[in-house]
Amino acid sequence: MTKGKLVFVGLGLYDEKDISLKGLDEIKSCDKVYAEFYTAKLVGTTIKKIEKTIGKPVEVLSRDETEKGDKILDSAKNKKVVFLTCGDPMTATTHVDLRLRAANNGIETKVVHGSSVATAVPGLLGLQNYKFGRTTTLVFPEKNYFPTSPYDVIRDNRKTGLHTLVLLDIQADKNRLMTANEGLELLSEMEKKHKEKILSDDSVVCVVARAGSDNPIVAANSVAFLKKMDFGPPLHTIVVPGNLHFMEIESLTRFAGLPSEFGKKCKN
């Protein structure tokens, strides 16, 4: 049996201040710190600021290095290794796979959770978390590649009255972060292709920009209106509401600027 240990530590949503005290304690007693920032990114900080906060150097791994996992697993065979991720560590399938491989190699594992977009975005909007269906991700189209599966997810969720959390693509190697404006344009293109009347220009959608920061933007309005709105720098997230409870409508009106005429239309 190995004597090593692998601890997954979530960094939270926005900057180096989001890390928990429990996470800092794990880092202080570890031998090596790795991190990956391709599944998500802390846009409010830098590696230098993170290193200053935790008091140790961080080796940032590429997507390929993270998915292979060899560096992390080899180090964790006889050392205590901390693997830093944005948000909550176990929301990415790659991280679950890495934990399973570590356990199968006799390496003890531990998870220190961090704040996640999955709860922060609904919370900022005032939407009930248990009313969210399957989450989906919009990706940048490439030549001969324009996946429209997010449209199917939104349609299926709305059939049962559920909200949809729509994450936006991050291409870390190109420093390219999808904006909500780009995401809404893609959803409109999907509507034109499918023609199932799931999302028209008059449909109510929500956008949250820079969740976890001191001044996040939280907006609810029509697709047409939000396409033209300036949300500032990423990260952005879109929510397509399903059936809305009167308290959710009140929250969207008060905290996200939903116009009263839309609120009346959204009542069940």
Side-chain angles (χ1 to χ4, degrees):
M1 290 289 289
T2 178
K3 294 182 180 180
K5 186 174 183 179
L6 176 57
V7 184
F8 296 80
V9 175
L11 289 171
L13 293 167
Y14 185 70
D15 60 26
E16 74 281 358
K17 296 177 183 178
D18 284 344
I19 190 170
S20 67
L21 293 176
K22 187 179 289 185
L24 282 175
D25 284 343
E26 293 292 344
I27 293 169
K28 287 177 182 178
S29 63
C30 80
D31 302 301
K32 178 71 178 178
V33 182
Y34 292 104
E36 69 87 357
F37 297 112
Y38 77 87
T39 57
K41 190 172 182 179
L42 295 184
V43 296
T45 191
T46 63
I47 290 297
K48 287 185 178 180
K49 287 182 180 179
I50 293 173
E51 290 178 329
K52 184 177 180 180
T53 298
I54 67 175
K56 288 192 176 182
V58 178
E59 182 175 346
V60 180
L61 301 178
S62 66
R63 178 170 189 159
D64 184 59
E65 289 175 320
T66 303
E67 291 178 345
K68 285 182 177 179
D70 295 342
K71 277 191 175 183
I72 300 172
L73 295 176
D74 286 345
S75 295
K77 286 179 180 177
N78 49 32
K79 297 177 181 178
K80 179 177 177 181
V81 173
V82 164
F83 181 47
L84 302 177
T85 73
C86 298
D88 188 87
M90 291 300 122
T91 54
T93 305
T94 300
H95 306 158
V96 177
D97 175 66
L98 184 60
R99 188 184 183 199
L100 283 169
R101 290 165 61 192
N104 290 336
N105 280 280
I107 299 169
E108 180 185 353
T109 66
K110 181 177 180 178
V111 179
V112 179
H113 297 284
S115 51
S116 169
V117 69
T119 52
V121 167
L124 286 169
L125 290 166
L127 298 180
Q128 297 166 2
N129 193 266
Y130 64 87
K131 288 178 61 180
F132 277 74
R134 181 181 165 194
T135 297
T136 189
T137 302
L138 288 170
V139 300
F140 286 110
E142 304 289 347
K143 186 177 181 181
N144 300 320
Y145 177 69
F146 181 35
T148 60
S149 55
Y151 186 90
D152 299 329
V153 173
I154 294 169
R155 178 198 62 216
D156 293 345
N157 283 342
R158 294 194 74 177
K159 281 182 179 179
T160 52
L162 299 176
H163 311 318
T164 306
L165 182 68
V166 184
L167 306 178
L168 306 180
D169 198 7
I170 295 174
Q171 294 183 343
D173 55 331
K174 300 178 182 178
N175 196 29
R176 191 181 182 195
L177 310 174
M178 184 182 292
T179 65
N181 312 80
E182 291 172 316
L184 291 170
E185 288 290 352
L186 289 176
L187 289 175
S188 292
E189 288 298 316
M190 293 177 192
E191 178 61 60
K192 291 177 184 178
K193 184 175 182 179
H194 285 269
K195 298 179 181 179
E196 295 185 43
K197 298 180 179 180
I198 301 299
L199 278 174
S200 69
D201 279 349
D202 293 331
S203 297
V204 172
V205 293
C206 310
V207 172
V208 174
R210 296 172 301 285
S213 69
D214 290 336
N215 297 293
I217 288 180
V218 183
N221 212 307
S222 68
V223 170
F225 182 90
L226 294 181
K227 278 182 183 178
K228 300 176 182 179
M229 187 169 170
D230 182 5
F231 298 102
L235 296 177
H236 300 170
T237 308
I238 296 171
V239 172
V240 180
N243 295 339
L244 290 164
H245 184 269
F246 72 87
M247 191 179 295
E248 292 179 305
I249 295 173
E250 183 179 353
S251 293
L252 291 179
T253 302
R254 181 172 291 274
F255 300 124
L258 180 70
S260 57
E261 62 268 25
F262 283 110
K264 292 175 182 176
K265 290 180 182 179
C266 292
K267 286 184 178 178
N268 293 333

